[in-house]
Amino acid sequence: MIKIKKILVPTDLREQSLAGIKYALSLARDHDAEVLIVHVVDEERITTTVRLPEEEMLFPREWLSMGEGSRCFLDIELKEKRLDLYAFLSGHFDLQELKAGRVTRLVRMGDVAQEIVSVAVEEHCDLIVMASRGQGWLGRILSGSMSEEVARKAPCPVLTIQPSAVVQD
């Protein structure tokens, strides 16, 4: 029997990721394992698309060009994403059940695939459970598959779950 002590499950806070979280929680119950639910914020997208309110600046600029001030706003963004993750989980799961189990919520910033792999390495995860986004073959060719990229780089097995999968409790 394979011993699974720590399961990493990434979420993009969309409904499609619920199947992966449910499957990871089910596996964790069966193996008495810990679950790490991670949401990765794509730093490049935030810093290039979000701007400060114009009334706070003489000349609007992107966060990256602001130096120290940008870090403050990125910290605020991370706090907001932690709240988003909490709200997402509380909207779909019994929080008492999550608290009773060994579930840790993490929010990281950076390249999504790289951060997922980094958390798996840092936390010595035994398994990564990911819900696929359900892209067709054309979507995978054009944009690539996140689960494929993670599987190529991960230090442990990666289990992908279809978004339509039904997980029995």
Side-chain angles (χ1 to χ4, degrees):
M1 182 170 147
I2 297 172
K3 183 66 177 160
I4 299 173
K5 294 179 266 177
K6 201 175 278 193
I7 302 169
L8 176 62
V9 57
T11 179
D12 58 4
L13 306 182
R14 288 193 266 177
E15 299 292 317
Q16 294 94 331
S17 67
L18 289 173
I21 297 170
K22 289 176 184 176
Y23 203 89
L25 292 172
S26 178
L27 279 173
R29 281 190 297 272
D30 293 345
H31 292 270
D32 191 32
E34 179 181 353
V35 175
L36 301 172
I37 301 174
V38 64
H39 173 59
V40 180
V41 180
D42 185 352
E43 182 178 13
E44 183 177 316
R45 187 170 18 160
I46 287 175
T47 57
T48 59
T49 60
V50 180
R51 297 175 183 269
L52 290 172
E54 290 189 33
E55 63 271 9
E56 294 181 17
M57 302 168 38
L58 288 175
F59 304 100
R61 326 178 252 190
E62 293 181 10
W63 288 3
L64 284 178
S65 62
M66 293 176 42
E68 187 64 35
S70 67
R71 275 179 243 145
C72 176
F73 290 104
L74 290 176
D75 287 343
I76 291 169
E77 183 69 21
L78 281 175
K79 287 178 185 177
E80 287 178 6
K81 293 301 180 184
R82 285 186 192 100
L83 291 173
D84 291 346
L85 177 57
Y86 183 83
F88 177 76
L89 293 174
S90 66
H92 294 95
F93 299 95
D94 177 11
L95 287 180
Q96 293 304 326
E97 179 185 353
L98 293 178
K99 289 179 183 178
R102 296 179 317 187
V103 177
T104 303
R105 296 178 309 270
L106 301 169
V107 174
R108 299 279 289 258
M109 184 173 288
D111 175 76
V112 177
Q114 185 57 49
E115 287 301 317
I116 292 168
V117 171
S118 293
V119 171
V121 170
E122 293 165 15
E123 297 291 335
H124 308 287
C125 293
D126 302 299
L127 178 66
I128 299 172
V129 176
M130 297 180 71
S132 70
R133 287 189 279 178
Q135 298 184 103
W137 64 271
L138 182 59
R140 286 193 301 275
I141 289 171
L142 295 175
S143 66
S145 167
M146 181 66 62
S147 53
E148 289 174 15
E149 185 176 350
V150 170
R152 281 194 305 273
K153 299 176 181 178
C156 60
V158 176
L159 176 63
T160 57
I161 306 296
Q162 292 300 316
S164 59
V166 177
V167 180
Q168 303 295 325
D169 290 327

